[in-house]
Amino acid sequence: GKQLVIFVDDFNMPQKSSIESPFQPPLELLRLWIDYGGWYDRSKCAWRFVLDSQLVTAMAPPSGGRAVICNRIQARFHLVNITTPEDSQLTRIFESILTPKLQEFDNEIKPMSRPIALATIGLYRSVLDTFLPTPEKSHYQFNLRDVAKVVQGALQADKQHFDTSQSIIRLWCHECMRVFSDRFLQDASEDTARFMDMVNVSMKQNFEDEDWDKVMENVDDLHYGPVLCSFMDDNTGTLAYEEVTDFSLLARRCEDRLEDYNLEPKLINMNLVLFKDAVRHVCRIHRVLMMPRGNLMLVGVGGSGRQSLARLASYIAEIDIFAIEITKQYRLVEWHDDMKRLFEEAGTSNKPITFLFNDTQIKEQAFLEDINNILSSGEIPNLYSKDELPAIYDGVRKRATDAGCDGTQGELWTYFVESVRSNLHIILAMSPVGSALRTRCLFYPGLINNTTIDWFHRWPADALTAVGSAFLSNLVLDCDDTKSNISSVFSMVHLSAQDSSDKMLQELKRHNYITPTHFLELARGYRTVLSAKRTEIGDARDKLSNGLAKLIEARDGVQIMSVELEKKKVVCAQSQKDCENLLVEIVSERRVADEQRKQVEADSERIGKEEIDCKAIADDAEAELNVALPALEKAMAEVEKLDKSAISEVKAYKSPPKQVETVLAAVMILFSKQTDWNTAKKVLGEANFLQSVKSYDKDNVGPSIMKKIKGYVSQADFKPEAVGAVSKAAGALCVWVHAIYIYANVAKEVAPKRARLKGAQESLAVKQASLRKAQEELAEVTAKVNRLKQKYDNSVGEKNRLRAE
């Protein structure tokens, strides 16, 4: 079988069970395994042995979050104390690293590998002895990794941009400041100034009496030192690490890249003001991102620009940003899912990526523990299950094979982890407020040991002024001097508030944090208040201006109306006179109209009574006539049935029956003819006989005819039924004779009434004609009165309008 060696780092990091107790529970579990060869499985109630395994541990000396392990666990190990290497050994190590690189440079630079190594190690020893960690400066922890970072930064130089010994010395100073002094606080101890003095002493000792002022003669800011970056020139295929001699050109370069960032469709716009300190922070972040396994911890209060500048620097370095999105349900499972996606981007897809993580996203301490593991070893233990590992192996197999790996699972996993460490850059955005940062650094030493710390100090006055001017750039003020003065006031107010907070901390031991966010709120609040006041004052101004304009307009209008009023007074007087004349005329005409109306109404009433009398007479006559009309209509209906054949039948009799002869004799009497049969036959033979019967003048039958007809009608056998039995045509004529007789008798009685009705109607027609004429005259008079009244009303309205005006 095989032997397994288990390595446990940071062996003394677990917390003790209590302050009084010397025991650390995780270590006691390991001691149980060492003493008894395994552990008891409570789920299966059986002892589980771990065979063919050995345990190798490592730990740092007790300090900070590292505790002293108890003697009981210490007795189970062979102790080996690894002492710090001698300076001569370290010098040889780093000199060996630098010498091959400097052999590419000019002869002046080639022998500088040993002085650089000596100066770096000497500076490291001085920093280690001088800048000790305190509760406020718990991150003042230095180790040989920092020396390696300085050397690593120096290895980025090339002979095209560093061709003199002083340029190499400036490069070394720059790297020392980025590694050591960028983490220093700005307080009364003035750590940065003391560090620069140490750098100056080290230069004099190791670089042939070179001093700070001489080396930094042409630097933009003597107190800050040189600025180096590798994104000034895009024309070359590889980005060259070079010194920036024109800071304004560097600032414009960063602003151009910021504009390009804001034009990216998938990225959120950032409205940044790149003042001098911000540009320097971008260069620092970019420097670390361009280094293999470069990780950063940006420490600053909220609003200082940590995350925004990190995003901009990553964009300049052409590295994608990966950030988690915290929700209420975000827990360790979601965190591990995000870490898997991050590892797949960096390891499987082999893409450089920046993981931006800030302290507000720490919902569980396990998040920091995983980040500490990534920084230390490049992996998170037990992140992937066994089912997920084959996909990882398949994703890196081709690249691993090309790199010379055998393709075993162990080598594939090692290659995957190395790919993650090479491509993944972690940027931690932490806040120094409170004791959280100190506690996290104590419990997770990888946060300090494996990152480059960049401390975001308070914004200086020029930065505050620049930000204030940017906020005021879109405002319309009297002049640019006003904007600069207001920006200076913003800066002065913010700095005075910071000074007052520092004084309160010294006197009352109470913290009051004045952050850049407060300054931004001050500038935004000024803009808001200014806009509101401008609107308010502008509205008041507009109201006053409109009021004055109305007053001037009213004055001019009054002057014009005064002239018009004089004219209209004359017109009004004339209208008053016309109204009075019209009123007299209207009264006169109305009197005439009233008299005519009374006369017409009397005539109308009288004629109405006469119309009623005429109607009564007509109704009486009509009623009497209606008695005879049914018989006449019946007789005419019987006559209508007769035709020539019926008449010819009667005419065919040579010796007619007595009833037929009697009927025809009565008919001949009505036609004033002889009553003999021959005359009757002759009359019957006339073509218009039936028409003569139908159109007989029944209203003008003479008395003598009526007397003769009465003799016939009164006969017993002169009945339509009896005659009709002999001859239908004679029967019909019999009915007609009876009807004419009845009607003639009635008409005789109605004739006086008709005569009286006719006279009454003629008289009524004359009177109605006279009434219509009187009504027409009355209508003309009334219309004239109405016209006069309308004219009067118009005149009165015009007079009133003129008076109102």
Side-chain angles (χ1 to χ4, degrees), residues 167-328:
S167 64
I168 292 294
I169 294 173
R170 284 196 296 271
L171 170 64
W172 174 78
C173 292
H174 176 268
E175 298 307 312
C176 291
M177 295 183 70
R178 299 291 75 80
V179 173
F180 295 108
S181 70
D182 281 349
R183 73 181 68 189
F184 291 152
L185 302 184
Q186 289 181 344
D187 55 9
S189 61
E190 297 183 354
D191 294 340
T192 303
R194 289 194 292 161
F195 175 77
M196 292 175 66
D197 293 337
M198 293 179 185
V199 173
N200 193 20
V201 171
S202 184
M203 279 195 297
K204 290 180 179 180
Q205 292 175 352
N206 297 283
F207 298 109
E208 299 178 357
D209 293 332
E210 296 281 1
D211 62 0
W212 182 271
D213 294 337
K214 181 180 178 181
V215 174
M216 305 297 173
E217 183 178 2
N218 297 322
V219 173
D220 179 71
D221 189 343
L222 187 63
H223 297 286
Y224 179 81
V227 177
L228 280 78
C229 69
S230 58
F231 57 87
M232 289 298 294
D233 189 7
D234 281 345
N235 297 325
T236 58
T238 58
L239 298 179
Y241 196 54
E242 59 182 315
E243 183 179 352
V244 177
T245 56
D246 187 353
F247 194 86
S248 61
L249 184 62
L250 173 62
R252 286 197 298 273
R253 179 65 176 163
C254 291
E255 290 173 355
D256 292 341
R257 299 301 290 159
L258 176 61
E259 291 181 2
D260 296 341
Y261 178 93
N262 291 332
L263 293 176
E264 292 290 334
K266 295 182 180 181
L267 301 178
I268 300 175
N269 286 5
M270 296 189 299
N271 185 19
L272 302 180
V273 179
L274 296 178
F275 49 86
K276 185 171 289 188
D277 274 12
V279 173
R280 289 169 178 168
H281 282 297
V282 170
C283 294
R284 296 173 189 175
I285 299 170
H286 184 271
R287 166 187 168 272
V288 178
L289 292 177
M290 298 307 294
M291 289 184 177
R293 301 184 183 182
N295 302 298
L296 276 153
M297 182 163 66
L298 310 180
V299 185
V301 295
S304 56
R306 299 164 300 170
Q307 298 187 63
S308 299
L309 297 181
R311 292 179 182 276
L312 177 58
S314 296
Y315 179 76
I316 294 174
E318 298 181 355
I319 300 176
D320 294 337
I321 286 284
F322 181 89
I324 64 173
E325 184 176 353
I326 297 296
T327 61
K328 289 183 179 180

Side-chain angles (χ1 to χ4, degrees), residues 753-792:
K753 294 181 180 181
R754 282 185 170 178
R756 190 167 65 251
L757 175 61
K758 183 178 180 181
Q761 287 177 342
E762 291 175 355
S763 175
L764 179 62
V766 173
K767 292 179 180 179
Q768 284 178 340
S770 176
L771 177 61
R772 282 195 297 272
K773 184 177 181 181
Q775 287 175 343
E776 291 173 358
E777 293 176 355
L778 176 62
E780 291 178 1
V781 175
T782 302
K784 183 177 181 181
V785 171
N786 290 334
R787 287 195 298 272
L788 292 174
K789 187 175 182 303
Q790 183 65 33
K791 186 177 181 180
Y792 175 75

